[in-house]
Amino acid sequence: MAKVENERKLSERIAWNIILPVVALLLIGVYAIYVAYANDESHLGSPTRAMFMQFAWVIVSCIVIGFIVQFDSEQLYKIAPYAYGVGIFLLIAVLIFYDRSAAAANGAKSWFKLGPLSFQPSEVMKPAYILMMARVINKHNDEIPHTIHNDWILLGKIFAWLVPIAILLKFQNDFGTMLVFIAITGGLILVSGITWKIILPFVIAGAVIGTTVILMVTTDWGQHFLSRWFASYQFARINSWLDPSGDTSSNAYQLWQSMKAIGSGQILGNGIGKISVYVPVRGSDMIFSVIGENFGFVGSVAVILIYLYLIIQMVRNAFATKNAFYSYISTGIIMMILFHVFENIGMSIDLLPLTGIPLPFISQGGSALIGNMIGIGFVLSMKYHNKDYMFSTAGDF
């Protein structure tokens, strides 16, 4: 009887409301990668091999989750600086030992090449950065009361930890990943307790600067002025976003093909495994086009609803915990996943400019998958170590 009671208590510590949607997305990802490779005109590799490689990364990332979940909030708090330090070391190392062939192809010095495998350290830097920021904010709020002056100090601390990452990513020429760190930082600032008297001017300034940059890109003099900070291909991506039908044979080709593929699926899709439109880099950045073409509007909305359910459940878990440190971690993970989903799907349908940002749990790639699963491991740790968790009488679902 005691054994049954212990097992029941263990099962209650597992956040099934987080695990089930993640599993669903992982299965969708394995399927979509197989279909993308099976219909790839450039013959990048065997679809069976691509599917099993992704499945192998899923197994590895599940093992990583099992390891991460063993750490409670006190242990995560202690290891945060070490995780951040290792991440910074890897971001520096990749600038020296980056994959030369990948850099020649896409201009980014972001990847290690380990035999047949590639690894992008910035993906695992994301959860490490979230862990460190949660510690910085939690420590500041525990020790210093909120005043205008103290809130400026906290904001300075946050940016002090962000600046080294921004510099290293600039050297890597990886603007897309930098946008993810900005989104994470923005979410954490919103929940940090910093007054809106400080936040609002930054939001307004960001909106004005962003709009101004986009308008400048549409002019020759603007591109000339901005060329010291941005590459020519980034200008082309913004122009393609603003006018996707303007150059469908060159700069806008990938976006145009993605829109054609998604549109061809119409309401119910063309059917399982049926692909008629070629889309470059379909297994990773443009994976959503497979879902749109196979399952149409209904299937695409279903996938978006799975993400929405996952985000809602993570928000519920953040509110359920009595531990502020866990809440900050959860906020960072939510912003990371939410931005990835919004940007990836948005760029596939011309809602946002193209960036090399994968769709969480679905796009091909071990680095991104492990980074996202580490984040899920942090969230699962909240309920697993239930001394810091306020269980809802309404249950998980």
Side-chain angles (χ1 to χ4, degrees):
M1 191 70 179
K3 182 179 179 181
V4 173
E5 182 68 12
N6 289 336
E7 290 177 353
R8 184 185 66 81
K9 289 182 178 180
L10 178 61
S11 66
E12 288 178 353
R13 293 165 61 188
I14 299 175
W16 296 107
N17 56 334
I18 303 296
I19 292 175
L20 294 180
V22 169
V23 170
L25 293 169
L26 290 171
L27 293 176
I28 292 170
V30 171
Y31 161 79
I33 289 167
Y34 178 85
V35 173
Y37 269 73
N39 296 274
D40 184 61
E41 294 179 2
S42 59
H43 304 293
L44 292 177
S46 162
T48 303
R49 182 181 182 277
M51 180 182 68
F52 277 105
M53 280 296 296
Q54 185 70 8
F55 188 74
W57 281 117
V58 169
I59 297 300
V60 171
S61 61
C62 287
I63 294 172
V64 171
I65 281 185
F67 176 74
I68 293 293
V69 167
Q70 304 306 313
F71 292 86
D72 61 20
S73 60
E74 294 179 3
Q75 293 167 321
L76 291 175
Y77 189 90
K78 291 177 181 178
I79 67 173
Y82 302 102
Y84 179 89
V86 170
I88 291 294
F89 172 79
L90 291 174
L91 291 181
I92 294 172
V94 78
L95 290 172
I96 303 170
F97 304 106
Y98 63 90
D99 181 359
R100 265 59 181 178
S101 60
N106 57 35
K109 302 175 182 180
S110 305
W111 297 84
F112 288 115
K113 185 72 172 177
L114 307 172
L117 302 177
S118 296
F119 175 70
Q120 188 176 9
S122 59
E123 292 295 341
V124 295
M125 183 70 215
K126 293 172 189 175
Y129 172 72
I130 291 169
L131 203 62
M132 189 64 211
M133 287 302 92
R135 174 186 166 115
V136 169
I137 296 169
N138 187 76
K139 187 173 188 295
H140 178 93
N141 288 342
D142 279 350
E143 297 176 353
I144 304 174
H146 280 287
T147 63
I148 295 289
H149 177 263
N150 292 338
D151 284 355
W152 276 110
I153 292 175
L154 175 56
L155 194 64
K157 291 178 181 178
I158 292 172
F159 282 121
W161 291 97
L162 177 63
V163 166
I165 298 173
I167 293 172
L168 292 171
L169 289 177
K170 173 60 178 175
F171 286 139
Q172 291 179 24
N173 196 24
D174 193 352
F175 182 69
T177 300
M178 188 61 233
L179 291 177
V180 181
F181 280 96
I182 291 173
I184 292 169
T185 304
L188 288 169
I189 288 173
L190 288 177
V191 300
S192 66
I194 294 176
T195 177
W196 275 97
K197 294 178 181 179
I198 294 175
I199 295 176
L200 189 58
F202 274 94
V203 172
I204 294 173
V208 171
I209 292 171
T211 303
T212 302
V213 168
I214 291 172
L215 292 175
M216 290 176 66
V217 169
T218 62
T219 65
D220 291 336
W221 69 267
Q223 290 191 17
H224 177 73
F225 177 79
L226 295 171
S227 61
R228 67 191 71 181
W229 297 290
F230 298 98
S232 59
Y233 77 90
Q234 292 170 325
F235 297 143
R237 286 180 173 181
I238 293 179
N239 286 323
S240 299
W241 166 54
L242 296 174
D243 185 16
S245 61
D247 187 11
T248 58
S249 63
S250 181
N251 293 325
Y253 178 70
Q254 184 184 36
L255 171 60
W256 190 250
Q257 292 299 104
S258 173
M259 293 171 65
K260 284 172 60 179
I262 294 171
S264 71
Q266 300 185 56
I267 301 298
L268 298 176
N270 298 320
I272 295 175
K274 294 183 179 179
I275 294 293
S276 59
V277 180
Y278 170 68
V279 181
V281 200
R282 196 162 200 169
S284 53
D285 295 348
M286 291 297 176
I287 197 73
F288 190 73
S289 65
V290 175
I291 297 166
E293 191 168 356
N294 274 206
F295 302 110
F297 176 79
V298 172
S300 299
V301 170
V303 170
I304 293 172
L305 289 176
I306 294 174
Y307 279 117
L308 178 61
Y309 176 82
L310 175 61
I311 295 297
I312 289 172
Q313 295 306 315
M314 287 196 292
V315 170
R316 287 187 62 202
N317 280 21
F319 278 109
T321 182
K322 299 176 182 179
N323 188 313
F325 176 61
Y326 267 143
S327 293
Y328 298 137
I329 292 174
S330 186
T331 299
I333 301 302
I334 290 168
M335 290 302 301
M336 178 180 74
I337 293 176
L338 188 60
F339 184 83
H340 271 254
V341 173
F342 184 68
E343 172 60 33
N344 183 277
I345 296 178
M347 74 180 186
S348 299
I349 59 176
D350 195 35
L351 183 64
L352 294 169
L354 284 172
T355 56
I357 292 180
L359 189 59
F361 315 111
I362 293 182
S363 288
Q364 182 186 31
S367 305
L369 182 59
I370 288 179
N372 287 320
M373 294 290 263
I374 290 173
I376 293 297
F378 290 156
V379 175
L380 293 177
S381 173
M382 277 189 249
K383 187 172 181 180
Y384 188 78
H385 299 282
N386 54 20
K387 64 183 179 180
D388 298 322
Y389 192 91
M390 182 173 59
F391 291 97
S392 171
T393 56
D396 285 336
F397 297 93

